[in-house]
Amino acid sequence: MMRSYNIDADSDSLIHLVAPTTRIEDKMLYVQDIGFFVARENFYMRRHALHSYLIQYTIEGEGYLEYENQAGYLPADTIMWIDCRNPQFYRTSSRTKYWKTIWVHLYGANCQYYYEQFLATNGGKNMARLSLSNHVPDFIHQCIELYQNFDCDLNTDIHASALLANILSECITLLSGSERTMPAHVQKARSYIRSHYTESITLELLAGELFISKYHLQRLFRQYMQMSPKEYLCQLRINHAKQALRTTNLSVREIAAEVGYNNVSHFIHLFQKYERQTPGSYRTSWSRLSY
């Protein structure tokens, strides 16, 4: 790992270096280090090739980040979420000369997937302003408390992993849900698909209903839903089919037609793609359960 830095920080800053007690790297999320930092005017960090993801949340003051052809300020209630294997540079903002943050370095199972979902939700950007009602700093504080006595055991690691999942999920869902306004065209497209999923719906038809270019609709929908309108329609139909398989005695052919597929072979192929089993196998496996 290559780095240069100047740790210009107040004495009440703290850091916990965490060594998980079990070999959990491939099994769950885990903390590498975590802390609370009050950076003064001359603080900066420049590095790369560190196998870690960093989530840093600004409490007061302001930071500044240069990362992956992005550059921007990090005011209060803003997070930066970066893959530390890539070159990064961050520092106290020259505008405030003060940067109070709470952070966690983490790694482990599904880290990459969470990170990719965050970028997809946030338009490819590594900085995001969260609502005042977010719980990210609370979850990080709870993680700090877990390790404050350096008394690590499996239960602590499992508890910390759950808190990390809460942190990552909070960052993603706040940006993809009601905290970020979804364009009216995406809302209307989703509503139309829900109301007409049993019918034949093409991108051209959907765009025509909304008086929008089909290419623009496709881009918008994928940006905010992380899938295309066609994928959304397929998943909606499969979910309705699963409900029918578990709660009715309709044949697979009848269920296929009921959710909008006249070609039963095509329906079975799509069902296997999404569920990794045939409709018949799905029905059989759930029919064994007693409630």
Side-chain angles (χ1 to χ4, degrees), residues 139-150:
F139 291 139
I140 298 178
H141 273 298
Q142 290 178 51
C143 266
I144 291 174
E145 291 174 1
L146 284 176
Y147 292 111
Q148 63 183 353
N149 296 321
F150 301 95

Side-chain angles (χ1 to χ4, degrees), residues 59-77:
I59 299 172
E60 296 176 6
E62 187 176 68
Y64 176 81
L65 172 68
E66 293 179 4
Y67 182 81
E68 295 287 276
N69 299 316
Q70 303 168 54
Y73 291 98
L74 300 157
D77 303 310

Side-chain angles (χ1 to χ4, degrees), residues 85-102:
R85 291 172 294 187
N86 300 323
Q88 71 225 233
F89 171 69
Y90 52 94
R91 59 171 172 80
T92 302
S93 168
S94 58
R95 303 193 304 194
T96 62
K97 302 180 181 180
Y98 167 74
W99 189 24
K100 183 177 180 180
T101 71
I102 191 168

Side-chain angles (χ1 to χ4, degrees), residues 207-219:
E209 289 287 335
L210 303 177
F211 303 101
I212 185 177
S213 158
K214 66 179 183 179
Y215 303 108
H216 185 49
L217 174 60
Q218 178 94 322
R219 284 194 299 271

